[in-house]
């Protein structure tokens, strides 16, 4: 019986594996096709200075503009693209597009501050990553100081030696480095302090509970003081309410980002926001 059961299980396993492979294959083809047909677009979400309300930068967030299904969230396709090795290519497009858009804003006299680009672990680990960044800057003519790379803790902790040298190369180019979703990964503070990091983004799971849960409040204010004493800029993500905004101000957090100030906007919407609010121009710093 055991043997028969084993065989049946094996058959079942093989069948589902095949289905998965087929599914994955077609997803991969679809994503590849989307890239070819230029179906990806970027939205931009502002970050603001908590002291004076000025816009300090824009985070580029990719969306798949599917002809039938409309905008598809990166949470749905980025993991698939990472798994099938397509994220490097999509990431190259994201980098170029973000730099190109930033250059447009600068040419139009709009001071957006910095543009931040999310980089997933396989992109960061790909051999060409630093060259891709260099190429994107060279091709668009954008100065490196206006680019920020957002990395999750996992991307850095997977291979410390590798991360250390990659980060040094990026810093040599003049690019800024942010740790995204800080507090949710497994980074060791011993390692973190060795990395040339410019800012820490406190994960929104802490931010969203901090005005209700004293433990989250304690974590957020401790991360703010730690980050600031290590000379990082500290950014809170996922700020949705005035209460959260005030808490962060009272705790001397540097910057905030979230629906409270603005949702991610398409390039046109972001331009309109900058033009409507000239007082948000980063010149005011
Ligand atoms: P992330 O980098 O942590 O980006 C923040 C996410 O939180 C964005 O979701 C943003 O729309 C959302 N958000 C911003 N403010 C609020 C708020 O006040 N409340 C709530 N509930 N959410 C808020 P999005 O655009 O769906 O992106 C999800 C994740 O997908 C990103 O998390 C990032 O890890 C990844 N991602 C997005 N674009 C790219 C990309 O171009 N390349 C790579 N590798 N990953 C990307
Ligand atoms: Mg991010
Ligand atoms: Mg984040
Ligand atoms: Mg997050």
């Amino acid at each position: 019986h055991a043997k028969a059961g084993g065989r049946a299980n094996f058959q079942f396993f093989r069948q589902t594996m095949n289905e998965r492979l087929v599914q994955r294959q077609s997803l991969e083809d679809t994503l590849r096709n989307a890239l070819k047909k230029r179906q990806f677009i970027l939205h931009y979400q502002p970050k603001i200075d908590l002291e004076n309300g000025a816009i300090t930068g824009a985070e580029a967030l990719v969306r798949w503009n599917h002809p039938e299904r409309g905008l598809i969230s990166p949470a749905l396709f980025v993991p698939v693209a990472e798994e099938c090795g397509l994220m490097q290519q999509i990431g190259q497009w994201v980098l170029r597009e973000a730099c190109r858009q930033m250059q447009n804003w600068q040419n139009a006299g709009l001071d957006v501050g910095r543009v931040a680009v999310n980089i997933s672990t396989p992109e960061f680990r790909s051999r060409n990553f630093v060259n891709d960044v260099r190429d994107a800057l060279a091709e668009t003519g954008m100065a490196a100081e206006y680019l920020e790379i957002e990395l999750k803790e996992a991307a850095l902790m997977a291979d410390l030696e590798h991360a250390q040298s990659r980060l040094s190369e990026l810093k040599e180019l003049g690019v800024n480095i942010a740790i995204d979703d800080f507090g949710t990964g497994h980074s060791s503070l011993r390692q973190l302090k060795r990395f040339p990091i410019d800012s820490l983004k406190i994960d929104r799971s802490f931010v969203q509970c901090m005005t209700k849960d004293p433990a989250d409040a304690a974590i957020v204010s401790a991360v703010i003081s730690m980050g600031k004493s290590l000379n990082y800029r500290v950014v809170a993500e996922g700020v949705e309410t005035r209460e959260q905004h005030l808490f962060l101000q009272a705790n001397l957090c540097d910057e905030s980002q979230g629906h409270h100030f603005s949702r991610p906007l398409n390039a046109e919407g972001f331009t309109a926001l900058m033009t409507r609010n000239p007082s948000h121009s980063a010149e005011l710093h």
Side-chain angles (χ1 to χ4, degrees):
H1 276 291
K3 228 176 176 179
R7 200 153 47 227
N9 279 339
F10 180 71
Q11 284 301 339
F12 175 71
F13 177 72
R14 207 163 66 175
Q15 198 180 331
T16 47
M17 275 307 284
N18 281 338
E19 275 166 19
R20 276 207 200 132
L21 281 177
V22 168
Q23 251 181 23
R24 162 120 55 99
Q25 190 59 48
S26 74
L27 260 172
E28 184 176 338
D29 287 345
T30 319
L31 281 172
R32 214 181 278 285
N33 201 35
L35 197 58
K36 211 169 67 194
K37 291 192 169 154
R38 302 170 172 274
Q39 288 173 354
F40 293 106
I41 60 161
L42 294 183
H43 279 190
Y44 299 88
Q45 188 179 35
K47 297 181 199 178
I48 60 161
D49 186 319
L50 276 162
E51 213 170 22
N52 60 16
I55 290 174
T56 57
E59 177 176 4
L61 295 157
V62 72
R63 276 97 183 81
W64 178 4
N65 193 4
H66 193 281
E68 281 120 47
R69 290 164 59 200
L71 288 186
I72 301 177
S73 150
L76 294 177
F77 67 84
V78 167
V80 180
E82 285 176 2
E83 229 185 291
C84 65
L86 261 183
M87 203 51 220
Q88 278 103 297
Q89 257 174 283
I90 298 176
Q92 279 177 15
W93 177 83
V94 170
L95 259 172
R96 265 179 193 67
E97 179 61 15
C99 294
R100 191 194 61 77
Q101 181 58 61
M102 190 63 174
Q103 193 65 15
N104 279 353
W105 279 323
Q106 291 180 344
N107 291 341
L110 293 173
D111 191 347
V112 174
R114 294 195 185 94
V115 70
V117 173
N118 292 285
I119 302 295
S120 57
T121 306
E123 293 174 72
F124 182 65
R125 304 195 60 168
S126 105
R127 191 191 315 210
N128 295 321
F129 177 62
V130 178
N131 278 330
D132 289 344
V133 173
R134 194 181 286 119
D135 289 351
L137 292 170
E139 281 170 33
T140 58
M142 195 185 83
E145 62 183 298
Y146 300 119
L147 178 63
E148 184 157 77
I149 295 294
E150 292 195 8
L151 293 161
K152 293 187 201 304
E153 292 163 83
L156 296 178
M157 298 300 149
D159 182 345
L160 296 169
E161 296 285 296
H162 173 91
Q164 183 84 54
S165 60
R166 280 293 144 88
L167 294 184
S168 310
E169 290 174 86
L170 288 171
K171 288 310 292 179
E172 256 166 59
L173 282 181
V175 171
N176 300 277
I177 295 157
I179 305 298
D180 205 351
D181 301 348
F182 183 73
T184 58
H186 302 275
S187 50
S188 110
L189 296 174
R190 179 189 307 286
Q191 280 311 323
L192 211 61
K193 72 161 193 190
R194 295 203 179 126
F195 290 144
I197 291 159
D198 300 284
S199 63
L200 283 188
K201 299 187 75 178
I202 306 175
D203 189 66
R204 74 161 186 261
S205 58
F206 302 112
V207 174
Q208 283 175 345
C209 300
M210 75 192 174
T211 48
K212 296 192 184 73
D213 185 337
D216 288 289
I219 290 169
V220 170
S221 84
V223 171
I224 295 170
S225 354
M226 180 203 70
K228 291 181 65 137
S229 35
L230 291 170
N231 282 323
Y232 304 148
R233 268 180 299 123
V234 183
V235 183
E237 63 174 24
V239 179
E240 291 180 349
T241 68
R242 181 174 158 72
E243 218 187 336
Q244 290 162 354
H245 180 89
L246 293 174
F247 178 96
L248 293 163
Q249 263 179 339
N251 282 274
L252 304 178
C253 187
D254 298 307
E255 293 176 30
S256 118
Q257 186 181 24
H259 297 168
H260 176 64
F261 182 72
S262 170
R263 286 176 182 271
L265 305 165
N266 62 22
E268 216 178 21
F270 197 94
T271 307
L273 174 77
M274 291 295 298
T275 335
R276 256 201 325 276
N277 290 307
S279 65
H280 280 122
S281 154
E283 276 163 31
L284 281 185
H285 278 208

